[in-house]
Amino acid sequence: REQSVFVVSKPTVPEASTHIYVDMEGSPSGSFVYLIGVLVAENGSTRHHSFWADSRDDEEHLFMQFLQRLSHFNNAQVFYYGSYEANVFRRIFGSVSTDKISELLLKQATNVLSLIYANIYFPTYSNELKEIGKYLRCEWSSSDSTGLHTLVWRAQWEHAHDPALKDRLIIYNEQDCLALQKVREFLSAIPENGEPREANEGGI
């Protein structure tokens, strides 16, 4: 009711000169990933990259493109949200050859949800990225979009190969990456001394 965030303890959020936010779209089990979004934040600006697979036969190429993008960064920290990406990372290690930089980044990647769990209580009914993101004033093109919608859009795309559906999925994925960035920034900005404060997002 008070729209306040309760902090049990401030989590340690890894820092680096470059922050890389990763979000994936695919089958619910993670056995097939057709879209990987990568939001790179450095020097005060962000760039979004998307890697797309038309079919399961293209998934390995998608993984290789993703790893090649990561290999461009030395002092970077990867962030993701939940167990889905972590499971896919492990599958990547077993299916394609990885260079040292990419593998190190993924093995040291941080699950932002694990920083929240039992430490931070947002005024939301769950710890889903969209619920917390909307509390932090993130926006999605379709306000009612969910992961279930992406399954429908992908199925429709596979039937019609409509470029508008592909664009919708890529935009949705990018907005998830932006929400992940916002959540990480919020966690990093929590006061060290635990003193209450007023902020645009509500009191802490």
Side-chain angles (χ1 to χ4, degrees):
R1 292 193 302 270
E2 298 170 358
Q3 291 296 293
S4 296
V5 178
F6 287 82
V7 178
V8 177
S9 62
K10 178 177 179 176
T12 300
V13 183
E15 290 293 341
S17 60
T18 301
H19 295 152
I20 301 173
Y21 303 93
V22 176
D23 187 79
M24 300 179 181
E25 312 296 341
S27 64
S29 66
S31 60
F32 169 53
V33 172
Y34 64 84
L35 175 60
I36 299 179
V38 176
L39 183 72
V40 179
E42 60 181 349
N43 300 322
S45 64
T46 59
R47 303 187 310 279
H48 181 257
H49 309 274
S50 59
F51 307 103
W52 177 271
D54 284 344
S55 67
R56 289 180 180 270
D57 292 338
D58 299 324
E59 187 188 55
E60 183 174 332
H61 180 62
L62 173 145
F63 288 159
M64 293 300 295
Q65 288 181 305
F66 171 58
L67 294 172
Q68 186 177 19
R69 172 56 55 184
L70 293 185
S71 68
H72 293 166
F73 304 100
N74 286 312
N75 184 19
Q77 178 66 39
V78 173
F79 297 93
Y80 62 96
Y81 201 90
S83 60
Y84 190 91
E85 283 77 11
N87 291 333
V88 175
F89 291 161
R90 287 191 287 271
R91 193 158 66 80
I92 289 175
F93 295 145
S95 61
V96 298
S97 59
T98 60
D99 60 81
K100 291 183 179 180
I101 293 177
S102 299
E103 185 168 350
L104 182 63
L105 283 176
L106 294 183
K107 286 185 174 179
Q108 293 181 341
T110 299
N111 180 356
V112 175
L113 177 58
S114 69
L115 302 180
I116 294 173
Y117 185 73
N119 286 321
I120 313 295
Y121 293 86
F122 288 90
T124 58
Y125 288 105
S126 77
N127 280 334
E128 290 185 3
L129 178 61
K130 282 186 180 54
E131 280 209 55
I132 296 176
K134 288 178 180 177
Y135 169 73
L136 298 178
R137 301 185 179 181
C138 299
E139 296 182 353
W140 280 261
S141 299
S142 300
S143 59
D144 61 343
S145 295
T146 65
L148 183 59
H149 286 87
T150 65
L151 299 177
V152 175
W153 296 339
R154 172 67 187 193
Q156 291 173 337
W157 178 87
E158 289 179 351
H159 176 72
H161 284 248
D162 183 352
L165 289 168
K166 179 177 177 179
D167 290 342
R168 183 184 298 177
L169 284 162
I170 291 174
I171 291 171
Y172 171 90
N173 177 266
E174 179 180 5
Q175 291 168 339
D176 274 358
C177 289
L178 289 167
L180 175 56
Q181 178 187 22
K182 185 74 171 180
V183 173
R184 188 212 64 83
E185 290 175 347
F186 182 89
L187 297 179
S188 294
I190 292 174
E192 291 285 354
N193 57 12
E195 290 295 326
R197 71 164 188 175
E198 293 299 322
N200 293 332
E201 296 83 10
I204 295 180

